[in-house]
Amino acid sequence: QVELVESEGGSVQAGASWRFSCRAHGDTACINAMSWYRRVPHKHEFTDRELVATITKAGSTTYADSVKGRFTISGDNRRNTITLQMNDLKPEDTAVYYCKAEGSDSACVYWGQGTQVTVSS
C-alpha cells in the first residue's frame, strides 16, 4: 500500500508562484511515474480531474498545454517525492490539485487527498 502526502495549499494573487510537493510512503517499489492532476471549480461543482504534469522515474516529463512554460514538475527518486513549481499563476489555475502515483501494474494506482490553491485577480 502507498500513501501520498501532499503539501498544503493556499491563496495567492495572480502572477505569484506556489509550490506543491507530494511524497509517497509505504511500498513504493511498483511506482514508475508520478503526476499532478487538478479539478477546477465550475459553477457549484468541480470538473473531472485533468492532467497537469507527469514525471517518470527516468525523468521524462509531460505537461498540459495550459501550463507549459509556467509549471515545472521535478522528482527525487530517493525520497519518492515530486514537486510542482507553479509560476505566473492565473485565476484559471484555481483548483484542487491531486498527486497520483502509478506503475505498470494496474493495481499500482494511488491518489493523494488533494490540496487547493486559489488564485485571485
Side-chain angles (χ1 to χ4, degrees):
Q1 194 70 14
V2 172
E3 180 186 16
L4 300 178
V5 179
E6 298 150 335
S7 58
E8 292 185 358
S11 297
V12 297
Q13 295 286 321
S17 297
W18 193 266
R19 184 167 60 194
F20 282 131
S21 64
C22 172
R23 185 166 187 173
H25 298 267
D27 186 6
T28 61
C30 71
I31 298 170
N32 58 27
M34 293 182 72
S35 304
W36 286 98
Y37 282 71
R38 67 185 181 187
R39 297 181 74 189
V40 177
H42 179 65
K43 296 185 179 180
H44 300 293
E45 299 180 342
F46 285 86
T47 60
D48 290 338
R49 289 186 183 115
E50 60 182 35
L51 178 64
V52 176
T54 297
I55 186 166
T56 68
K57 258 191 171 178
S60 297
T61 57
T62 57
Y63 296 92
D65 288 342
S66 58
V67 306
K68 281 180 182 176
R70 299 188 299 121
F71 290 13
T72 301
I73 189 170
S74 58
D76 182 338
N77 288 336
R78 286 199 303 173
R79 293 185 171 86
N80 295 306
T81 299
I82 60 170
T83 297
L84 184 69
Q85 176 67 41
M86 303 183 290
N87 297 329
D88 189 24
L89 282 162
K90 305 177 185 299
E92 52 264 40
D93 294 317
T94 295
V96 179
Y97 286 76
Y98 296 86
C99 177
K100 180 185 181 184
E102 60 191 315
S104 301
D105 188 337
S106 60
C108 181
V109 178
Y110 301 96
W111 289 94
Q113 292 295 309
T115 182
Q116 181 161 353
V117 69
T118 300
V119 185
S120 55
S121 57

